[in-house]
Every structure is written in C-alpha cells, then in structure tokens.
Amino acid sequence: MTTILATRPPATASPARRTGTRGSRVRRTLYWIATHALAVALSLMFIGPLVFVALTALMTDAQALTGELWPDTWNWGNFAEVFARSHLLDWLGNTFLYAGLGTLFMLLSSVPVAYAMARFRFRGRKLAFLAVITMMMLPPQVIAVPVYLIWARFELTGTLWPLILPMLLGDAFSIFLLRQFLITIPKEYTEAARVDGCSDFRTLVRVILPMARPAIAAVALFQFFYCWNDYYGPLLYAQINEENWTLSLGLASFRALHSVQWNLTMAATLLVMAPVIIVFFFAQKVFIEGVTLTGVKG
C-alpha cells in the first residue's frame, strides 16, 4: 500500500501581518528620531562644515565656491599641490615639536604639583589653590610685553622655546583638573603604600599615576590640542623666522597667498586638521572617561 504524503505549501505572512510589521518598524524609526533629534541636529551642525571643506578640497579652482556642492571631477592632486607650494612638512615638524614637548613638560611639572595639593597638608595650601585659579583667569595678553622682553634678553625670540620652556613651570588648568581628580581617590591607598614603606615619590609613581591615567590622558589631550591650534604664541615669537613656523601660522600665510584658490586653501586646512582628528578618534574613549571622572569635590 502506497502512502501519498501531501506536501503543505510554505506558510506566508498574511497582508495584515506584513502591514503591522511595517507599521511597527516605522513607529520605532520615528520614535528613535524623536528621541535623538537634538543629537542628530548637533551632529549635522558639526559634521556639515567638515564635509563642505572635504568636498571643496577635491574641486577644481573654477568650481570651488560656485554654489555646486559636489565635485564634477575628483582632483586628488590638490593635496600634492599644497605640499609643492608650501613648507607643510617643516610646519608639521615644528608643530609636533611644540605640541609634543609642551605636553610632556606640562605633565612632568603639573602632576607632582596636583598631587601635593590633593594629598599634602601644609600651611598656605588654600592660598596656593586660589593662586592656581587666579592664573586660570589671567589672559596671556596681559603679561605678553614683559614676558616677551625677558625672552628677548635671552635671545630666544624667533624660536618656539619661549612657548615650550614655560610648560616646565606647570599649567594652571591642568593642575586644577588633576587636583580635582586626585582628591576623589581614597586616601586608604596612599596610607597603605606608606605603611609598606613607600616614599611619597614612589607612592605617586606606583599607586597614584596608574589610577589617574584617565585624568592624565584628558589633560594631555587638552594641552596637545591647545598647542596644535595655537596661533597667538607662534605669531608673537616665531613670526620673524619662517623656519620655526607652526601649522597654524603657516596656514594663515598660505591662505593669504592663495586666497582666490579656495580648493587649495581647503585642502591645506584638511591636511592640518587630519592629525588632530585621528588622535581624537583613537583617544576619545580615555579622554571622555577622564573628563567624566574628574569631579568638582573640594
């Protein structure tokens, strides 16, 4: 006896179910847009100019700033032309020297000061903290003339050393930010280290610094970005010597020479911005963590 098995056709969703699924998906999308509308608007506000700069950098000179937002041809040679018409590599090296040494010197001087203000009890401690806050509110232009005369006597004008060497004396904002973070670390850690026979320096290096890495990374990035974008300092001290120009000073000169060639100006701007964007992209996690964990206690 032969049994014939009837094969049931595969079940398909009914039109009503498909319509319901599509409707729920639309509702979820609209809910997401409504929830993140402010974040999306702010993202477009910040990303829009960057996209405009990138697209203009790839246009021809005739098409740049003509109202057309999309390049007719992709002119990647604009970046090579920027290198050919400027000393971009020299400016890049000077900027890395300024930003790198300035950040290193700031950390070497500011971390011990912040540790002392957060952990040590000494006479005049509150007065020292008030002096740090006062220095934060003091514009650099106020003391520009006497400081320039001091560096002129040492014959260091025309170089970047008047901007790098003062970092050995600390930075007020970095000291403040590090101090605010260090006072949130429980004192039991330092007391346990002293019981084990650690000196203050060894306690700082072995116990405090590993726990304060987010805050140190945050102030390091702040200082690095400040030096990278600094225009006033190099203009004041290095303007007379083109060999010591930084990217900000060189870009201003390049824009003045090629003000009618906006494609080259935008290409140079994008090249100057690229290293900072790359650094922040890889360090944003620890940077945000350091800023978030830095409290306002004390």
Side-chain angles (χ1 to χ4, degrees), residues 5 12 180 183 195 216 222 249 279:
L5 299 178
T12 57
Q180 296 303 103
I183 61 178
V195 170
I216 294 175
F222 274 128
L249 194 59
V279 169

Side-chain angles (χ1 to χ4, degrees), residues 22-71:
R22 189 180 302 111
S24 62
R25 188 182 299 113
V26 171
R27 284 195 299 270
R28 288 196 301 268
T29 303
L30 293 177
Y31 177 78
W32 187 91
I33 294 175
T35 305
H36 302 85
L38 181 59
V40 171
L42 292 176
S43 301
L44 294 176
M45 186 184 304
F46 285 102
I47 295 176
L50 182 61
V51 174
F52 174 78
V53 170
L55 292 178
T56 306
L58 296 173
M59 294 180 180
T60 61
D61 185 24
Q63 187 187 4
L65 300 184
T66 58
E68 299 182 12
L69 299 179
W70 196 260

Side-chain angles (χ1 to χ4, degrees), residues 133-157:
I133 296 178
T134 304
M135 292 300 296
M136 289 174 55
M137 298 184 293
L138 183 66
Q141 292 80 5
V142 175
I143 57 175
V145 174
V147 171
Y148 183 88
L149 294 177
I150 292 175
W151 291 114
R153 290 187 178 182
F154 287 102
E155 298 182 353
L156 290 177
T157 55

Side-chain angles (χ1 to χ4, degrees), residues 122-136:
F122 55 91
R123 183 177 299 178
R125 178 169 171 264
K126 294 184 178 179
L127 185 61
F129 183 64
L130 180 62
V132 171
I133 296 178
T134 304
M135 292 300 296
M136 289 174 55

Side-chain angles (χ1 to χ4, degrees), residues 31-286:
Y31 177 78
W32 187 91
I33 294 175
T35 305
H36 302 85
L38 181 59
V40 171
L42 292 176
S43 301
L44 294 176
M45 186 184 304
F46 285 102
I47 295 176
L50 182 61
V51 174
F52 174 78
V53 170
L55 292 178
T56 306
L58 296 173
M59 294 180 180
T60 61
D61 185 24
Q63 187 187 4
L65 300 184
T66 58
E68 299 182 12
L69 299 179
W70 196 260
D72 294 335
T73 57
W74 300 88
N75 294 275
W76 298 98
N78 290 341
F79 298 101
E81 193 169 354
V82 169
F83 283 98
R85 296 192 181 189
S86 65
H87 303 282
L88 191 63
L89 292 178
D90 296 335
W91 301 341
L92 182 63
N94 294 333
T95 305
F96 269 117
L97 177 67
Y98 174 28
L101 288 182
T103 303
L104 177 63
F105 289 171
M106 181 277 298
L107 291 177
L108 291 177
S109 58
S110 298
V111 171
V113 175
Y115 174 69
M117 298 184 68
R119 283 290 185 264
F120 296 166
R121 302 293 178 180
F122 55 91
R123 183 177 299 178
R125 178 169 171 264
K126 294 184 178 179
L127 185 61
F129 183 64
L130 180 62
V132 171
I133 296 178
T134 304
M135 292 300 296
M136 289 174 55
M137 298 184 293
L138 183 66
Q141 292 80 5
V142 175
I143 57 175
V145 174
V147 171
Y148 183 88
L149 294 177
I150 292 175
W151 291 114
R153 290 187 178 182
F154 287 102
E155 298 182 353
L156 290 177
T157 55
T159 68
L160 295 174
W161 291 112
L163 302 174
I164 299 174
L165 293 179
M167 291 296 103
L168 288 172
L169 303 178
D171 176 69
F173 175 74
S174 301
I175 294 173
F176 172 78
L177 199 65
L178 288 170
R179 183 255 182 190
Q180 296 303 103
F181 182 87
L182 293 179
I183 61 178
T184 62
I185 299 177
K187 297 180 180 179
E188 287 76 12
Y189 290 102
T190 55
E191 293 174 356
R194 289 172 183 171
V195 170
D196 291 339
C198 292
S199 62
D200 291 327
F201 178 76
R202 189 175 180 183
T203 302
L204 172 62
V205 174
R206 294 293 184 87
V207 179
I208 300 299
L209 290 186
M211 301 178 66
R213 280 183 295 182
I216 294 175
V219 297
L221 286 177
F222 274 128
Q223 184 65 34
F224 184 85
F225 291 158
Y226 170 79
C227 295
W228 187 275
N229 296 320
D230 186 20
Y231 176 75
Y232 174 76
L235 178 66
L236 181 63
Y237 290 105
Q239 183 185 19
I240 58 177
N241 188 1
E242 188 175 352
E243 295 181 356
N244 292 316
W245 282 9
T246 59
L247 284 173
S248 57
L249 194 59
L251 181 62
S253 174
F254 186 86
R255 184 177 64 248
L257 293 175
H258 304 277
S259 58
V260 295
Q261 294 177 295
W262 283 102
N263 57 334
L264 297 182
T265 302
M266 295 300 179
T269 303
L270 195 62
L271 290 173
V272 171
M273 294 168 54
V276 177
I277 295 175
I278 295 173
V279 169
F280 183 77
F281 178 79
F282 287 102
Q284 61 177 331
K285 182 179 180 180
V286 66

